[in-house]
Amino acid sequence: MITLYGDVTKTRANRCSWMLKEIGIDYVNEPLAFRPGAEKPAAFLALNPNGKCPTLQDGDLVLYESLAINLYLAKRYGGALGPQSPEEEALMMQWSFWVATEVEKPLLLTAAIRHLFEPKQPADEELAIAMKRLSRPFSALEQHLQDRDFILGDRFTAADLNVAAVMHFIPIAEIDVSTFTAMKRWLETCLDRPAAIDVQSVNFRVPTPKSSRDIFAMFV
Amino acid sequence: MITLYGDVTKTRANRCSWMLKEIGIDYVNEPLAFRPGAEKPAAFLALNPNGKCPTLQDGDLVLYESLAINLYLAKRYGGALGPQSPEEEALMMQWSFWVATEVEKPLLLTAAIRHLFEPKQPADEELAIAMKRLSRPFSALEQHLQDRDFILGDRFTAADLNVAAVMHFIPIAEIDVSTFTAMKRWLETCLDRPAAIDVQSVNFRVPTPKSSRDIFAMFV
């Protein structure tokens, strides 16, 4: 029995529900979400001392970190979504770390300014810094996708799912990536998949920080 | 033939040289390092369009992202350093993503203020914000290590190596973690390993940013 802890409209559990739906495996969702500073149930902290969603339980295995959960699920249950060789496995890990370390925080900052912060306030300088940070990884992915339909070649895999699941904020926050034509086409193809339903919208907003310093400090 | 691109005193190639030395495998090191804004050789950009070190070449496979490289090496060549079951493999990935997403940036910010920025300037408020951010993951690891010698149990694995290789800035920057006794003992045990020689010091400094905002913006 697989249980996915985390509200798929408010937490990164949406990344794992996408994978579970691609695989077509039965699972139970416990739609937990915690407001910043909220007390967390002891039973949940016993599963994951970090107190964060998503957390996955698969028999005796308890696992957290959304991208690690997806790599595990794809390999164990995902057939062609998972690696077919040690080289493919290495590349799926590489791209998953790449999106987490090169893309996620500046993209989330951009999405926050464009969409998640309430009340809305102009933050052009902060936006410019974040978009400049994103230009290198976006260019690298654009180049990689010049002669490939998907990240590993000609089939959709866990690498595409993990990278696109982080990049889902691009359409949600209407971030302009029109100059990255191959990346944009690839991202639309991924996010249009029926199993990607939970990453097609978000259902939370974040209080706008008081200063430019506080905006950046949120994402360190 | 394995080639590791990246200066082990100035780039995260030190994480991968640690793994290669643990395994005891032959490899060639190309000690590349680039100053911010420096032009990068076209031959290197052809290997890794992100232009970042470390990059590993193993036969036809070109791989980047230090923690993914280490997971690949441990599994393929590392014997007991690598996973012995799907569950162990999942946990090695989990802890590697955990340290990259929960620990790396606030720890690097702390290490920069304490050690890497030149000239030195007091930044107590920034330090307090970063240390507060670290208290949750440090507490989680402390709790996890209460009844285990190593992250996966009773042997040193790629999970320990990847987490400790990110945390190597704690002793280098003399960051006080004395209240996390199990974590401190574990980290010292890991970093004292002979193969860890390249993570025992760093040979670079970073110009101090002009404002508090710019300090945080560096690490987004």
Side-chain angles (χ1 to χ4, degrees):
Chain A
M1 163 68 83
I2 292 178
T3 305
L4 173 65
Y5 296 87
D7 185 323
V8 298
T9 71
K10 293 190 176 74
T11 80
R12 293 174 173 91
N14 59 2
R15 300 173 179 176
C16 301
S17 66
W18 181 3
M19 178 59 83
L20 288 159
K21 286 173 178 155
E22 290 283 355
I23 293 171
I25 199 171
D26 279 340
Y27 70 99
V28 174
N29 179 230
E30 295 285 347
L32 301 181
F34 305 109
R35 290 179 174 280
E39 195 75 20
K40 292 166 188 179
F44 182 63
L45 288 172
L47 285 179
N48 178 356
N50 299 278
K52 293 187 91 172
C53 293
T55 297
L56 186 93
Q57 192 158 19
D58 179 12
D60 289 339
L61 178 67
V62 176
L63 202 60
Y64 45 87
E65 290 297 327
S66 58
L67 304 182
I69 290 170
N70 282 352
L71 291 170
Y72 162 77
L73 289 170
K75 179 163 184 198
R76 191 147 200 187
Y77 304 114
L81 288 168
Q84 310 299 308
S85 69
E87 289 80 6
E88 283 200 358
E89 181 166 67
L91 291 169
M92 288 184 191
M93 292 193 293
Q94 169 196 291
W95 283 101
S96 301
F97 279 101
W98 173 86
V99 78
T101 60
E102 298 288 321
V103 175
E104 182 164 17
K105 289 194 173 180
L107 179 59
L108 201 52
L109 171 53
T110 306
I113 293 169
R114 291 292 305 267
H115 189 69
L116 300 174
F117 283 157
E118 238 170 31
K120 286 273 160 300
Q121 275 172 17
D124 292 345
E125 202 191 336
E126 292 72 20
L127 204 55
I129 290 171
M131 286 301 292
K132 183 159 183 288
R133 195 69 51 88
L134 288 167
S135 69
R136 184 178 62 188
F138 283 2
S139 297
L141 180 56
E142 174 70 17
Q143 185 182 326
H144 183 77
L145 290 170
Q146 287 300 312
D147 51 1
R148 292 174 185 88
D149 285 338
F150 294 103
I151 287 179
L152 259 66
D154 57 9
R155 75 183 204 280
F156 176 83
T157 70
D160 301 288
L161 195 156
N162 274 352
V163 174
V166 173
M167 290 193 173
H168 77 120
F169 274 114
I170 290 175
I172 288 173
E174 298 177 19
I175 295 167
D176 182 9
V177 291
S178 57
T179 57
F180 302 98
T181 53
M183 182 183 93
K184 186 168 188 289
R185 169 194 51 71
W186 161 87
L187 183 61
E188 286 166 358
T189 301
C190 293
L191 296 177
D192 279 350
R193 294 173 71 89
I197 179 77
D198 293 334
V199 295
Q200 290 165 4
S201 62
V202 298
N203 182 26
F204 66 95
R205 294 296 181 276
V206 177
T208 309
K210 276 177 292 203
S211 70
S212 177
R213 199 281 297 265
D214 292 351
I215 289 176
F216 285 105
M218 275 186 80
F219 294 94
V220 165
Chain B
M1 164 67 82
I2 293 178
T3 304
L4 173 66
Y5 296 88
D7 185 322
V8 298
T9 70
K10 294 189 174 73
T11 80
R12 292 174 174 90
N14 59 3
R15 300 173 179 177
C16 301
S17 65
W18 181 5
M19 178 59 83
L20 288 160
K21 285 173 179 157
E22 290 283 355
I23 293 171
I25 199 172
D26 279 339
Y27 69 100
V28 173
N29 180 228
E30 296 283 347
L32 301 180
F34 306 109
R35 289 177 174 278
E39 196 76 21
K40 292 167 187 178
F44 182 64
L45 288 172
L47 284 180
N48 179 356
N50 299 277
K52 293 187 91 172
C53 292
T55 297
L56 186 92
Q57 192 159 19
D58 179 11
D60 288 340
L61 178 67
V62 177
L63 203 60
Y64 45 88
E65 289 297 327
S66 57
L67 304 182
I69 290 170
N70 282 352
L71 291 169
Y72 163 76
L73 289 171
K75 180 163 182 196
R76 192 147 199 186
Y77 304 113
L81 288 169
Q84 310 298 309
S85 69
E87 290 80 5
E88 284 200 357
E89 180 166 66
L91 292 169
M92 288 184 191
M93 292 193 293
Q94 169 196 289
W95 284 102
S96 301
F97 278 102
W98 172 86
V99 78
T101 61
E102 298 289 321
V103 175
E104 182 165 17
K105 288 194 175 181
L107 179 59
L108 202 53
L109 172 52
T110 305
I113 293 169
R114 292 292 304 268
H115 190 70
L116 300 174
F117 283 157
E118 244 173 23
K120 287 273 161 297
Q121 273 172 21
D124 292 344
E125 201 190 337
E126 292 71 19
L127 204 54
I129 291 172
M131 286 302 292
K132 182 160 184 288
R133 194 67 53 86
L134 288 168
S135 69
R136 185 177 62 189
F138 283 1
S139 298
L141 180 55
E142 175 69 17
Q143 186 180 327
H144 183 76
L145 291 170
Q146 286 299 314
D147 51 1
R148 293 173 185 86
D149 285 337
F150 294 104
I151 288 179
L152 258 65
D154 56 9
R155 74 182 205 279
F156 177 84
T157 69
D160 302 288
L161 195 158
N162 273 353
V163 174
V166 173
M167 289 193 174
H168 78 121
F169 275 115
I170 290 175
I172 288 173
E174 297 177 19
I175 296 167
D176 181 9
V177 292
S178 56
T179 57
F180 303 97
T181 52
M183 183 183 93
K184 185 167 187 290
R185 170 193 51 73
W186 162 85
L187 183 61
E188 287 165 358
T189 301
C190 293
L191 296 177
D192 279 350
R193 295 173 71 90
I197 179 76
D198 294 333
V199 296
Q200 289 165 3
S201 62
V202 299
N203 182 25
F204 66 96
R205 294 296 182 275
V206 178
T208 309
K210 276 177 294 201
S211 71
S212 177
R213 198 281 296 269
D214 293 350
I215 288 176
F216 285 105
M218 274 187 83
F219 294 94
V220 164

